[in-house]
Amino acid sequence: MTPTIQYIAEVPSNIALIKYWGKVPGHEQLPTNDSLSFTLDQTSTQTLASVTDAGSFQVFYDQHQLFESDPFAKKIFSHLKFLAKELHFNRKLVIRTKNSFPSGCGIASSASGMGALTLASVAAWTQSSSLEELEDQGFYREKLARLARLGSGSACRSFWGGFVQWQTAESESLQLVKPLWPSNHWDLSDIVVIVSNKTKPVSSSSGHLTAPSSSLFRPRVAAIPERMNSLKAAIEKRDFESLGRIIEQDSTEMHGVMMSSTPPISYYLDETIEFLEWLKSKRYSEEFTAYATLDAGPNIHVICETK
């Protein structure tokens, strides 16, 4: 009996310093504005994929089997079916996946999850044991990032380290993902503060659909290009205070759009607000300098210089 070969992929999550919230209607994954992220190295998804002769995909998360009817698993099965159809692979896969951090609560688990799922699945179908072997089969990093993006938009930024920009465009095919600076350009740290590991009440996919209903949506989108230039200048100069002000403003504005949409969405918990106030008080009293940013969830990313 031939042993089953498992292909293992590990992909990190990322924290968006300038975020996107809202997508262009009529397009699968076309954000209304550019985003810029910092790739993390301790929060990741590890996914094992192997080809099976079974008649359906099998998915296990933390050793528990998931089914297509499970809300948590719906996106996984949908992306597997998309990849199989898009790439003309007929054989089914057994997927075993796990995170090094809580999922579904605003720490970009969909980015690392869809990235690892895409990478492991394509590796298993093509029997590729490295990125070089995937390239030999025509699956360059850019193509893998594009495929992962169609499962979760922010996944495309996790295929590079350091600071990465996702540029929107008039159509999906014209979008670009650009690595801007490597991680060693600036010794920054992201301390993830978990105030709740519960699955957030409204998914990001659902939230994107309601974003244009907010009166704050268009002004925020209009301000992004200038903000993006300012953030790039801060990163280039390693100007931490400027970076901090920009990312806090962007995060606060994005959550303002959420709270003023119809229906309103609030990911903040009392503990979130309490921690943000505590952090600001420490900064104002000059005990230490750190800034906060939140994705679509209650948990806080504290950005600081590692020193």
Side-chain angles (χ1 to χ4, degrees), residues 65-85:
Q65 186 168 6
L66 303 178
F67 299 94
E68 203 163 352
S69 58
D70 298 333
F72 177 79
K74 186 177 180 181
K75 204 170 185 179
I76 299 174
F77 281 96
S78 177
H79 193 56
L80 284 169
K81 291 178 180 178
F82 160 75
L83 290 173
K85 182 178 180 180

Side-chain angles (χ1 to χ4, degrees), residues 78-184:
S78 177
H79 193 56
L80 284 169
K81 291 178 180 178
F82 160 75
L83 290 173
K85 182 178 180 180
E86 177 79 5
L87 303 175
H88 307 291
F89 291 120
N90 296 319
R91 299 187 70 183
K92 306 303 182 186
L93 301 174
V94 177
I95 300 293
R96 300 182 185 277
T97 188
K98 61 181 180 180
N99 290 341
S100 67
F101 61 100
S103 62
C105 56
I107 320 177
S109 60
S110 63
S112 59
M114 288 298 156
L117 180 65
T118 301
L119 189 55
S121 298
V122 175
W125 274 320
T126 60
Q127 298 182 341
S128 300
S129 300
S130 65
L131 288 173
E132 289 74 21
E133 290 185 17
L134 280 166
E135 285 188 6
D136 290 341
Q137 305 239 25
F139 290 98
Y140 291 88
R141 190 181 302 238
E142 291 79 6
K143 182 174 183 177
L144 292 165
R146 181 186 67 80
L147 291 168
R149 184 183 75 218
L150 294 172
S152 172
S154 55
C156 65
R157 300 190 306 247
S158 284
F159 278 77
W160 286 268
F163 298 90
V164 182
Q165 183 177 358
W166 175 15
Q167 294 179 321
T168 191
E170 295 180 357
S171 67
E172 285 99 336
S173 61
L174 296 176
Q175 296 178 80
L176 292 175
V177 183
K178 295 176 59 178
L180 300 176
W181 292 274
S183 57
N184 61 6

Side-chain angles (χ1 to χ4, degrees), residues 2-17:
T2 304
T4 301
I5 301 175
Q6 292 185 324
Y7 293 83
I8 305 173
E10 187 165 0
V11 173
S13 66
N14 63 78
I15 177 61
L17 304 178

Side-chain angles (χ1 to χ4, degrees), residues 254-302:
M254 184 184 76
H255 281 268
V257 171
M258 297 170 178
M259 294 176 190
S260 56
S261 64
T262 305
I265 303 169
S266 179
Y267 292 113
Y268 282 16
L269 299 176
D270 290 344
E271 294 85 353
T272 306
I273 298 170
E274 182 182 353
F275 182 88
L276 291 175
E277 291 302 319
W278 174 84
L279 181 66
K280 288 179 182 178
S281 70
K282 293 296 181 182
R283 193 166 70 229
Y284 293 155
S285 63
E286 299 183 349
E287 290 185 51
F288 57 78
T289 304
Y291 294 86
T293 183
L294 285 82
D295 280 345
N299 299 308
I300 305 109
H301 295 257
V302 178

